[in-house]
Amino acid sequence: MGDLQVLVAAMHQVDLALAAQMNLQCDAIIANQADREEITDETGPGGTTKMLTTKTRGVGLNRNIALLAATSEIVLFADDDVTYYDGMPAQVLKAFRENPDADVILFSMDYARGGQIIERRHLPHKRLHVWNAMRYGAVSMAARRRALLQGNITFHQLFGGGCIYNSGEDSLFLKACFDKGLHIYTHPYVLGICSRDHSTWFCGCNEKYFYDKGALMGYLFPKLKYAMTLYFALHVKKKTDIACPDRIRWMYRGLRGGRAMRSYEDRLQKEKP
């Protein structure tokens, strides 16, 4: 069993060339959503890369496929648009050794467009709490696999690219970690560069965007959903041309849709044998 595996969510890969493109320097599992069913693996200088290709869709399900196949002590979640800096595996493992109580660590990341770095999200070393942890993405997240297994923590399959709601699976994952009592830290080590040249789901802050955010607020903050919806609608005015009353209206529609979906999920759970 290796100490670290990178769990990559990818789409339409035809071979294992992605391992070199991402500069993977340790064992990795690529969960690849395409139009075929296939398992391939290859051992290189950095480690063994296994690709699990399925006909499934949805980033939450894809991440869960990789997570269930993992065998390492530490897992690092990734998308296929990340390129890691040299020495990444040793630095990630060092961070967990130096923080023995950390179950999840959110690392720093550089972001690029057109080959040029446009943002450096370099984080301090500190412990997070639920109220200040909902703005971090899965591509900077590493976790102790045993802690996730013991907490039965996986990614929600209704949220994220390719799902009913186009984003939010990473926030829901972190919320589940907090609900299970896991300790979550940020760390200044910079994993690599994440490209922002394109997005498979983000089409701007349009009506669908606010509808989906409304549904997410209901899942994240069931007791404070209306307050959090208003807060979010008021604080994105510089990112959209949609008037504030219309933003709130679309988010409230999302709240109602999400409430109906949660009721359906609860009914299915009760009907399980």
Side-chain angles (χ1 to χ4, degrees):
M1 180 187 296
D3 292 330
L4 174 67
Q5 284 176 309
V6 181
L7 308 184
V8 185
M11 292 189 70
H12 304 303
Q13 300 297 311
V14 297
D15 54 33
L16 292 170
L18 186 62
Q21 295 171 22
M22 295 181 65
N23 193 27
L24 298 175
Q25 305 147 53
C26 60
D27 290 349
I29 297 174
I30 301 174
N32 178 40
Q33 293 184 329
D35 295 321
R36 65 188 192 280
E37 304 281 346
E38 184 180 65
I39 299 176
T40 55
D41 62 82
E42 182 177 87
T43 300
T48 298
T49 300
K50 177 182 289 187
M51 185 162 70
L52 308 176
T53 301
T54 67
K55 296 179 181 180
T56 63
R57 291 295 183 268
V59 68
L61 176 57
N62 213 21
R63 293 200 196 281
N64 289 340
I65 289 171
L67 179 58
L68 290 172
T71 58
S72 60
E73 296 175 18
I74 306 297
V75 293
L76 173 64
F77 297 103
D79 288 338
D80 59 7
D81 54 3
V82 174
T83 303
Y84 292 107
Y85 291 137
D86 290 341
M88 177 275 292
Q91 293 298 322
V92 169
L93 293 173
K94 179 183 177 183
F96 277 94
R97 287 196 303 271
E98 293 177 346
N99 296 272
D101 67 322
D103 299 300
V104 177
I105 297 180
L106 298 162
F107 289 93
S108 301
M109 185 73 76
D110 290 334
Y111 293 86
R113 181 175 292 124
Q116 299 294 319
I117 293 177
I118 60 170
E119 180 184 357
R120 297 182 185 272
R121 191 172 297 177
H122 295 183
L123 308 174
H125 179 249
K126 67 176 182 179
R127 184 173 172 182
L128 291 180
H129 300 279
V130 67
W131 56 83
N132 64 353
M134 295 299 107
R135 57 189 178 90
Y136 298 96
V139 293
S140 64
M141 186 190 309
R144 297 187 192 274
R145 189 173 62 91
R146 179 177 296 181
L148 301 182
L149 290 174
Q150 290 175 342
N152 194 27
I153 299 170
T154 57
F155 286 88
H156 203 290
Q157 296 181 29
L158 294 182
F159 290 82
C163 302
I164 295 175
Y165 306 113
N166 278 336
S167 65
E169 82 285 355
D170 34 22
S171 297
L172 287 166
F173 185 87
L174 286 171
K175 177 66 161 46
C177 290
F178 282 114
D179 289 345
K180 295 293 184 177
L182 272 59
H183 295 172
I184 303 176
Y185 285 80
T186 57
H187 196 278
Y189 174 69
V190 184
L191 293 173
I193 299 175
C194 182
S195 172
R196 284 188 169 170
D197 286 331
H198 63 86
S199 173
T200 57
W201 68 268
F202 184 66
C203 299
C205 296
N206 54 21
E207 289 87 352
K208 178 67 164 60
Y209 173 85
F210 289 107
Y211 182 92
D212 292 353
K213 289 298 182 184
L216 178 62
M217 293 302 161
Y219 273 81
L220 283 175
F221 309 107
K223 294 182 179 180
L224 298 172
K225 54 184 178 291
Y226 294 109
M228 296 305 297
T229 295
L230 289 172
Y231 176 85
F232 184 87
L234 291 171
H235 281 75
V236 293
K237 59 184 178 180
K238 295 182 179 180
K239 300 180 180 180
T240 180
D241 294 329
I242 298 176
C244 187
D246 292 328
R247 297 197 296 268
I248 295 171
R249 189 176 301 112
W250 277 105
M251 290 189 72
Y252 277 4
R253 289 177 182 175
L255 275 175
R256 291 193 295 271
R259 183 166 60 243
M261 188 63 72
R262 288 198 308 278
S263 298
Y264 176 70
E265 289 181 310
D266 292 341
R267 188 166 67 251
L268 288 179
Q269 191 67 29
K270 291 178 181 178
E271 292 174 355
K272 285 185 178 181

